[in-house]
mmCIF file of all heavy atoms in Angstrom:
data_model
loop_
_atom_site.group_PDB
_atom_site.id
_atom_site.type_symbol
_atom_site.label_atom_id
_atom_site.label_comp_id
_atom_site.label_asym_id
_atom_site.label_seq_id
_atom_site.Cartn_x
_atom_site.Cartn_y
_atom_site.Cartn_z
ATOM 1 N N VAL A 1 0.874 -1.178 0.000
ATOM 2 C CA VAL A 1 0.000 0.000 0.000
ATOM 3 C C VAL A 1 0.906 1.221 0.000
ATOM 4 O O VAL A 1 1.689 1.428 0.932
ATOM 5 C CB VAL A 1 -0.926 -0.002 1.227
ATOM 6 C CG1 VAL A 1 -1.771 1.274 1.273
ATOM 7 C CG2 VAL A 1 -1.839 -1.229 1.206
ATOM 8 N N VAL A 2 0.823 2.009 -1.066
ATOM 9 C CA VAL A 2 1.792 3.081 -1.278
ATOM 10 C C VAL A 2 1.108 4.434 -1.478
ATOM 11 O O VAL A 2 -0.080 4.515 -1.785
ATOM 12 C CB VAL A 2 2.703 2.773 -2.482
ATOM 13 C CG1 VAL A 2 3.476 1.489 -2.259
ATOM 14 C CG2 VAL A 2 1.894 2.690 -3.778
ATOM 15 N N MET A 3 1.911 5.481 -1.327
ATOM 16 C CA MET A 3 1.437 6.860 -1.471
ATOM 17 C C MET A 3 2.195 7.520 -2.621
ATOM 18 O O MET A 3 3.401 7.338 -2.764
ATOM 19 C CB MET A 3 1.651 7.598 -0.157
ATOM 20 C CG MET A 3 1.001 6.868 1.018
ATOM 21 S SD MET A 3 1.731 7.269 2.610
ATOM 22 C CE MET A 3 0.741 8.679 3.051
ATOM 23 N N PHE A 4 1.462 8.318 -3.406
ATOM 24 C CA PHE A 4 2.043 8.923 -4.609
ATOM 25 C C PHE A 4 1.159 10.083 -5.070
ATOM 26 O O PHE A 4 -0.032 10.144 -4.726
ATOM 27 C CB PHE A 4 2.140 7.877 -5.729
ATOM 28 C CG PHE A 4 0.827 7.184 -6.008
ATOM 29 C CD1 PHE A 4 -0.071 7.701 -6.934
ATOM 30 C CD2 PHE A 4 0.472 6.030 -5.320
ATOM 31 C CE1 PHE A 4 -1.286 7.084 -7.176
ATOM 32 C CE2 PHE A 4 -0.748 5.405 -5.548
ATOM 33 C CZ PHE A 4 -1.626 5.935 -6.471
ATOM 34 N N PRO A 5 1.705 11.020 -5.870
ATOM 35 C CA PRO A 5 0.874 12.086 -6.419
ATOM 36 C C PRO A 5 -0.069 11.528 -7.484
ATOM 37 O O PRO A 5 0.332 10.692 -8.296
ATOM 38 C CB PRO A 5 1.883 13.057 -7.049
ATOM 39 C CG PRO A 5 3.203 12.665 -6.504
ATOM 40 C CD PRO A 5 3.127 11.208 -6.198
ATOM 41 N N TYR A 6 -1.298 11.974 -7.472
ATOM 42 C CA TYR A 6 -2.283 11.594 -8.481
ATOM 43 C C TYR A 6 -1.714 11.903 -9.864
ATOM 44 O O TYR A 6 -1.349 13.047 -10.150
ATOM 45 C CB TYR A 6 -3.555 12.388 -8.216
ATOM 46 C CG TYR A 6 -4.656 12.259 -9.219
ATOM 47 C CD1 TYR A 6 -4.961 11.057 -9.836
ATOM 48 C CD2 TYR A 6 -5.439 13.371 -9.533
ATOM 49 C CE1 TYR A 6 -5.995 10.949 -10.749
ATOM 50 C CE2 TYR A 6 -6.491 13.283 -10.432
ATOM 51 C CZ TYR A 6 -6.765 12.073 -11.042
ATOM 52 O OH TYR A 6 -7.800 11.972 -11.946
ATOM 53 N N PRO A 7 -1.574 10.910 -10.747
ATOM 54 C CA PRO A 7 -0.900 11.118 -12.034
ATOM 55 C C PRO A 7 -1.498 12.224 -12.902
ATOM 56 O O PRO A 7 -0.772 12.855 -13.669
ATOM 57 C CB PRO A 7 -1.036 9.746 -12.723
ATOM 58 C CG PRO A 7 -1.138 8.777 -11.606
ATOM 59 C CD PRO A 7 -1.916 9.487 -10.535
ATOM 60 N N VAL A 8 -2.787 12.467 -12.777
ATOM 61 C CA VAL A 8 -3.432 13.436 -13.665
ATOM 62 C C VAL A 8 -3.095 14.876 -13.285
ATOM 63 O O VAL A 8 -2.865 15.709 -14.165
ATOM 64 C CB VAL A 8 -4.958 13.226 -13.684
ATOM 65 C CG1 VAL A 8 -5.641 14.297 -14.542
ATOM 66 C CG2 VAL A 8 -5.291 11.838 -14.235
ATOM 67 N N ASP A 9 -3.048 15.200 -11.982
ATOM 68 C CA ASP A 9 -2.737 16.585 -11.614
ATOM 69 C C ASP A 9 -1.369 16.740 -10.949
ATOM 70 O O ASP A 9 -0.860 17.856 -10.828
ATOM 71 C CB ASP A 9 -3.830 17.194 -10.730
ATOM 72 C CG ASP A 9 -3.898 16.592 -9.327
ATOM 73 O OD1 ASP A 9 -2.938 15.936 -8.901
ATOM 74 O OD2 ASP A 9 -4.931 16.780 -8.663
ATOM 75 N N GLY A 10 -0.766 15.630 -10.522
ATOM 76 C CA GLY A 10 0.571 15.686 -9.950
ATOM 77 C C GLY A 10 0.655 16.325 -8.581
ATOM 78 O O GLY A 10 1.757 16.537 -8.066
ATOM 79 N N GLU A 11 -0.486 16.633 -7.967
ATOM 80 C CA GLU A 11 -0.465 17.340 -6.692
ATOM 81 C C GLU A 11 -1.138 16.551 -5.574
ATOM 82 O O GLU A 11 -0.538 16.312 -4.530
ATOM 83 C CB GLU A 11 -1.135 18.712 -6.842
ATOM 84 C CG GLU A 11 -0.414 19.648 -7.807
ATOM 85 C CD GLU A 11 -1.123 20.971 -7.963
ATOM 86 O OE1 GLU A 11 -2.178 21.168 -7.325
ATOM 87 O OE2 GLU A 11 -0.618 21.820 -8.722
ATOM 88 N N THR A 12 -2.382 16.146 -5.781
ATOM 89 C CA THR A 12 -3.120 15.424 -4.755
ATOM 90 C C THR A 12 -2.428 14.100 -4.434
ATOM 91 O O THR A 12 -2.048 13.369 -5.344
ATOM 92 C CB THR A 12 -4.560 15.144 -5.222
ATOM 93 O OG1 THR A 12 -5.155 16.352 -5.683
ATOM 94 C CG2 THR A 12 -5.398 14.565 -4.084
ATOM 95 N N ILE A 13 -2.257 13.796 -3.151
ATOM 96 C CA ILE A 13 -1.605 12.553 -2.757
ATOM 97 C C ILE A 13 -2.648 11.442 -2.660
ATOM 98 O O ILE A 13 -3.654 11.579 -1.961
ATOM 99 C CB ILE A 13 -0.871 12.709 -1.412
ATOM 100 C CG1 ILE A 13 0.181 13.812 -1.512
ATOM 101 C CG2 ILE A 13 -0.218 11.383 -1.018
ATOM 102 C CD1 ILE A 13 1.213 13.597 -2.586
ATOM 103 N N TYR A 14 -2.406 10.354 -3.386
ATOM 104 C CA TYR A 14 -3.279 9.186 -3.372
ATOM 105 C C TYR A 14 -2.610 8.057 -2.594
ATOM 106 O O TYR A 14 -1.386 7.993 -2.495
ATOM 107 C CB TYR A 14 -3.547 8.706 -4.803
ATOM 108 C CG TYR A 14 -4.725 9.359 -5.476
ATOM 109 C CD1 TYR A 14 -5.084 10.670 -5.203
ATOM 110 C CD2 TYR A 14 -5.490 8.659 -6.407
ATOM 111 C CE1 TYR A 14 -6.164 11.265 -5.826
ATOM 112 C CE2 TYR A 14 -6.575 9.247 -7.040
ATOM 113 C CZ TYR A 14 -6.910 10.557 -6.749
ATOM 114 O OH TYR A 14 -7.985 11.142 -7.359
ATOM 115 N N ILE A 15 -3.442 7.161 -2.081
ATOM 116 C CA ILE A 15 -2.935 5.947 -1.449
ATOM 117 C C ILE A 15 -3.701 4.767 -2.040
ATOM 118 O O ILE A 15 -4.926 4.731 -1.996
ATOM 119 C CB ILE A 15 -3.056 6.007 0.085
ATOM 120 C CG1 ILE A 15 -2.523 4.712 0.717
ATOM 121 C CG2 ILE A 15 -4.480 6.297 0.534
ATOM 122 C CD1 ILE A 15 -2.291 4.829 2.211
ATOM 123 N N LYS A 16 -2.969 3.836 -2.647
ATOM 124 C CA LYS A 16 -3.578 2.676 -3.322
ATOM 125 C C LYS A 16 -2.692 1.452 -3.110
ATOM 126 O O LYS A 16 -1.603 1.536 -2.561
ATOM 127 C CB LYS A 16 -3.728 2.931 -4.830
ATOM 128 C CG LYS A 16 -4.538 4.170 -5.200
ATOM 129 C CD LYS A 16 -6.007 4.040 -4.843
ATOM 130 C CE LYS A 16 -6.768 5.304 -5.209
ATOM 131 N NZ LYS A 16 -8.180 5.261 -4.728
ATOM 132 N N ARG A 17 -3.181 0.328 -3.619
ATOM 133 C CA ARG A 17 -2.435 -0.918 -3.499
ATOM 134 C C ARG A 17 -1.747 -1.249 -4.828
ATOM 135 O O ARG A 17 -2.357 -1.109 -5.897
ATOM 136 C CB ARG A 17 -3.365 -2.062 -3.091
ATOM 137 C CG ARG A 17 -2.628 -3.324 -2.650
ATOM 138 C CD ARG A 17 -3.600 -4.421 -2.253
ATOM 139 N NE ARG A 17 -4.375 -4.104 -1.069
ATOM 140 C CZ ARG A 17 -3.987 -4.333 0.188
ATOM 141 N NH1 ARG A 17 -2.801 -4.872 0.412
ATOM 142 N NH2 ARG A 17 -4.765 -4.031 1.208
ATOM 143 N N VAL A 18 -0.499 -1.672 -4.753
ATOM 144 C CA VAL A 18 0.242 -2.091 -5.954
ATOM 145 C C VAL A 18 -0.329 -3.425 -6.441
ATOM 146 O O VAL A 18 -0.341 -4.412 -5.706
ATOM 147 C CB VAL A 18 1.744 -2.239 -5.654
ATOM 148 C CG1 VAL A 18 2.473 -2.784 -6.881
ATOM 149 C CG2 VAL A 18 2.343 -0.908 -5.232
ATOM 150 N N ILE A 19 -0.771 -3.445 -7.701
ATOM 151 C CA ILE A 19 -1.324 -4.670 -8.294
ATOM 152 C C ILE A 19 -0.460 -5.151 -9.455
ATOM 153 O O ILE A 19 -0.084 -6.315 -9.535
ATOM 154 C CB ILE A 19 -2.768 -4.452 -8.768
ATOM 155 C CG1 ILE A 19 -3.670 -4.124 -7.574
ATOM 156 C CG2 ILE A 19 -3.273 -5.685 -9.514
ATOM 157 C CD1 ILE A 19 -3.774 -5.231 -6.533
ATOM 158 N N GLY A 20 -0.138 -4.267 -10.391
ATOM 159 C CA GLY A 20 0.676 -4.637 -11.542
ATOM 160 C C GLY A 20 2.098 -4.150 -11.411
ATOM 161 O O GLY A 20 2.337 -2.991 -11.063
ATOM 162 N N LEU A 21 3.067 -5.020 -11.686
ATOM 163 C CA LEU A 21 4.483 -4.682 -11.591
ATOM 164 C C LEU A 21 5.053 -4.346 -12.965
ATOM 165 O O LEU A 21 4.435 -4.655 -14.004
ATOM 166 C CB LEU A 21 5.248 -5.864 -10.983
ATOM 167 C CG LEU A 21 4.776 -6.314 -9.589
ATOM 168 C CD1 LEU A 21 5.610 -7.518 -9.128
ATOM 169 C CD2 LEU A 21 4.854 -5.186 -8.584
ATOM 170 N N PRO A 22 6.234 -3.724 -13.022
ATOM 171 C CA PRO A 22 6.830 -3.341 -14.293
ATOM 172 C C PRO A 22 6.929 -4.509 -15.274
ATOM 173 O O PRO A 22 7.381 -5.601 -14.920
ATOM 174 C CB PRO A 22 8.221 -2.842 -13.890
ATOM 175 C CG PRO A 22 8.045 -2.346 -12.494
ATOM 176 C CD PRO A 22 7.051 -3.277 -11.872
ATOM 177 N N GLY A 23 6.479 -4.261 -16.521
ATOM 178 C CA GLY A 23 6.583 -5.269 -17.574
ATOM 179 C C GLY A 23 5.470 -6.295 -17.599
ATOM 180 O O GLY A 23 5.419 -7.133 -18.514
ATOM 181 N N GLU A 24 4.552 -6.271 -16.652
ATOM 182 C CA GLU A 24 3.488 -7.273 -16.595
ATOM 183 C C GLU A 24 2.283 -6.892 -17.456
ATOM 184 O O GLU A 24 2.009 -5.711 -17.702
ATOM 185 C CB GLU A 24 3.014 -7.479 -15.148
ATOM 186 C CG GLU A 24 4.020 -8.178 -14.265
ATOM 187 C CD GLU A 24 3.475 -8.455 -12.876
ATOM 188 O OE1 GLU A 24 2.520 -7.761 -12.448
ATOM 189 O OE2 GLU A 24 4.009 -9.358 -12.208
ATOM 190 N N LYS A 25 1.571 -7.914 -17.885
ATOM 191 C CA LYS A 25 0.281 -7.725 -18.529
ATOM 192 C C LYS A 25 -0.796 -8.044 -17.495
ATOM 193 O O LYS A 25 -0.832 -9.149 -16.936
ATOM 194 C CB LYS A 25 0.134 -8.645 -19.739
ATOM 195 C CG LYS A 25 -1.199 -8.491 -20.464
ATOM 196 C CD LYS A 25 -1.270 -9.427 -21.679
ATOM 197 C CE LYS A 25 -2.584 -9.273 -22.426
ATOM 198 N NZ LYS A 25 -2.649 -10.191 -23.601
ATOM 199 N N VAL A 26 -1.644 -7.071 -17.232
ATOM 200 C CA VAL A 26 -2.680 -7.230 -16.208
ATOM 201 C C VAL A 26 -4.046 -7.179 -16.888
ATOM 202 O O VAL A 26 -4.371 -6.213 -17.582
ATOM 203 C CB VAL A 26 -2.584 -6.117 -15.147
ATOM 204 C CG1 VAL A 26 -3.669 -6.300 -14.084
ATOM 205 C CG2 VAL A 26 -1.202 -6.098 -14.509
#
């Protein structure tokens, strides 16, 4: 469960669960 800026506006901090890893097809 990680925290990061919302990709669309780059400002609001979101907290979500990591589901797909680099290079994977989900």
Side-chain angles (χ1 to χ4, degrees):
V1 176
V2 300
M3 305 157 89
F4 53 89
Y6 174 39
V8 176
D9 69 17
E11 297 178 0
T12 309
I13 301 302
Y14 272 32
I15 180 166
K16 303 292 179 186
R17 193 180 294 273
V18 175
I19 297 297
L21 302 179
E24 290 184 337
K25 180 179 181 180
V26 180

